Amino acid sequence: MLEINNAFNSDHNHDHCVSGALNNAKAICKENGQRLTPIRELVLRLVWGSHKPLGAYELLPALAEAGFNSAPPTVYRALDFLHQLGLIHKIGSLNAFVGCSNPEHPHPSAFMICTECKTAAEIETSELQTSFNRVANTHGFQLEEENIELLGLCSDCRGNES
Amino acid sequence: MLEINNAFNSDHNHDHCVSGALNNAKAICKENGQRLTPIRELVLRLVWGSHKPLGAYELLPALAEAGFNSAPPTVYRALDFLHQLGLIHKIGSLNAFVGCSNPEHPHPSAFMICTECKTAAEIETSELQTSFNRVANTHGFQLEEENIELLGLCSDCRGNES
DNA sequence: AAATGTATTGTTATAATATAACAATAACTG
DNA sequence: CAGTTATTGTTATATTATAACAATACATTT
Ligand SMILES: [Zn+2]
Ligand SMILES: [Zn+2]
Ligand SMILES: [Zn+2]
Ligand SMILES: [Zn+2]
């Protein structure tokens, strides 16, 4: 069935999200012979500060506070590194990044994004995949990557409408 | 069935695409009591120069050549105008714009984008919509907008692979 | 036509996002 | 340790987008 992370559940234990993400990151880096350096780990923690996608420049102040150089290339390098390992996703329409809920299994970027509270909840796409593959096959298109954004109001924000 | 515009068909009569787009634009502007001014029409023509999404700054030289002021606000205003009427779509991951194949019926932005030749072909999403609605409904999400990008190689570029 | 108000465009400046290029340092390998 | 590679520091710049206000064009009423 369609699954999702618990981003839209405001009661969820977010510490669990963060610790899970960190554990995943360590394992995946090890598997790939890559190093989760202090900067990379901090950037990952910051991105996982919430389920709201963060822009690169929103990370710089926290990097500075932590005593690191905080010029743009620093944060973009860390973001690129995490992105290449599938530990974060980029939301194209927002120029912003959000932690991946299931990096153990590489998968396309697919989100429901609340335009009110800005929360982005990852969608499990295995069912959608059938449709996408059919579209691609029909046109001889070799599907390699996907950016799927569903924008609207999450249930919390629907309730709060004026 | 799943339909698509003919962007990936390199033999198609592209003049027909352009003239159709212009006719649509005129009709839709009239319906909405908006004016398709010379700048707006030129920007629409430029975007429709091909099926490859164009960035705002790629339009500026042609605007200058045509004798218009060519500062960024000019082109962004025209792009915003066309976007609001559904005459063009924005491809979030490319920061670029492409003409809409079927503006008479407002619909979400959904494309196959060839990473080799850069061509973007619009996808008819009525079938996908069922899946998206189901995802949204399952989570109490009020779906309002979509950005769907399928990235990969079009059939022409697959053939040309080394 | 003249006066008025609105929509559009011109213009200047600046904000926000992202990368190039090279130097310095840290980590790994033999 | 010396040599090599990976990572980070640093400066500069490229790219994308908007703010703010002035000038002009268009539409509406008198
Ligand atoms: Zn969480
Ligand atoms: Zn993910
Ligand atoms: Zn065409
Ligand atoms: Zn369209």
Side-chain angles (χ1 to χ4, degrees):
Chain A
M1 244 306 282
L2 290 164
E3 289 167 18
I4 196 183
N5 67 36
N6 46 17
F8 285 150
N9 174 7
S10 43
D11 292 334
H12 81 277
N13 181 351
H14 189 61
D15 289 341
H16 185 258
C17 296
V18 178
S19 60
L22 262 293
N23 286 339
N24 284 334
K26 283 167 187 163
I28 287 167
C29 285
K30 182 166 267 179
E31 283 168 27
N32 290 81
Q34 299 295 131
R35 293 168 51 216
L36 190 66
T37 63
I39 288 181
R40 290 165 177 172
E41 178 172 335
L42 175 55
V43 168
L44 184 60
R45 281 182 185 281
L46 292 170
V47 169
W48 271 104
S50 76
H51 291 274
K52 306 181 199 305
L54 276 187
Y57 281 75
E58 297 179 273
L59 303 171
L60 290 177
L63 281 180
E65 243 181 83
F68 295 104
N69 161 52
S70 70
T74 301
V75 68
Y76 277 104
R77 284 166 182 152
L79 289 169
D80 287 348
F81 174 87
L82 298 169
H83 192 225
Q84 276 171 34
L85 285 181
L87 298 168
I88 60 175
H89 293 286
K90 178 167 186 175
I91 310 295
S93 69
L94 300 177
N95 297 317
F97 300 84
V98 68
C100 174
S101 304
N102 189 22
E104 306 89 340
H105 300 100
H107 56 265
S109 172
F111 288 88
M112 288 186 283
I113 304 164
C114 180
T115 52
E116 181 65 25
C117 70
K118 314 304 180 191
T119 296
E122 193 159 6
I123 301 166
E124 211 283 321
T125 59
S126 48
E127 289 204 17
L128 291 173
Q129 219 52 50
T130 309
S131 306
F132 294 146
N133 285 332
R134 190 155 39 83
V135 173
N137 287 338
T138 302
H139 302 95
F141 188 79
Q142 180 177 319
L143 186 49
E144 289 177 341
E145 196 186 332
E146 297 164 23
N147 294 322
I148 309 299
E149 302 179 16
L150 305 185
L151 302 150
L153 291 178
C154 73
S155 55
D156 277 8
C157 291
R158 290 173 78 170
N160 297 342
E161 269 182 323
S162 56
Chain B
M1 241 308 280
L2 289 165
E3 289 167 16
I4 194 181
N5 66 36
N6 46 17
F8 286 151
N9 174 5
S10 44
D11 292 333
H12 81 277
N13 181 350
H14 189 59
D15 289 341
H16 185 258
C17 296
V18 178
S19 61
L22 262 292
N23 286 339
N24 285 333
K26 284 167 187 163
I28 288 167
C29 284
K30 183 166 266 180
E31 282 169 26
N32 290 82
Q34 299 294 133
R35 294 168 50 213
L36 190 65
T37 63
I39 288 183
R40 290 165 177 172
E41 178 173 335
L42 175 54
V43 167
L44 185 60
R45 281 183 187 281
L46 292 169
V47 169
W48 271 105
S50 76
H51 292 275
K52 306 181 199 308
L54 277 186
Y57 282 75
E58 298 179 89
L59 304 171
L60 290 178
L63 280 180
E65 245 180 82
F68 294 104
N69 161 52
S70 70
T74 300
V75 68
Y76 277 104
R77 284 168 183 150
L79 289 169
D80 287 348
F81 174 87
L82 298 169
H83 192 226
Q84 276 171 35
L85 285 181
L87 298 169
I88 61 175
H89 292 287
K90 177 166 187 177
I91 309 294
S93 70
L94 300 176
N95 297 317
F97 300 84
V98 68
C100 173
S101 305
N102 188 22
E104 306 90 340
H105 300 100
H107 56 263
S109 172
F111 288 89
M112 289 187 282
I113 304 164
C114 179
T115 52
E116 182 66 25
C117 70
K118 313 303 181 193
T119 296
E122 193 159 7
I123 301 167
E124 211 282 323
T125 59
S126 49
E127 289 205 17
L128 291 172
Q129 219 53 48
T130 308
S131 306
F132 294 146
N133 285 332
R134 191 155 37 83
V135 172
N137 287 337
T138 302
H139 301 95
F141 188 79
Q142 181 177 321
L143 186 50
E144 289 178 341
E145 195 186 333
E146 297 164 22
N147 294 321
I148 310 298
E149 302 179 15
L150 306 184
L151 303 149
L153 292 176
C154 72
S155 56
D156 278 7
C157 292
R158 287 173 78 170
N160 298 341
E161 270 185 320
S162 57

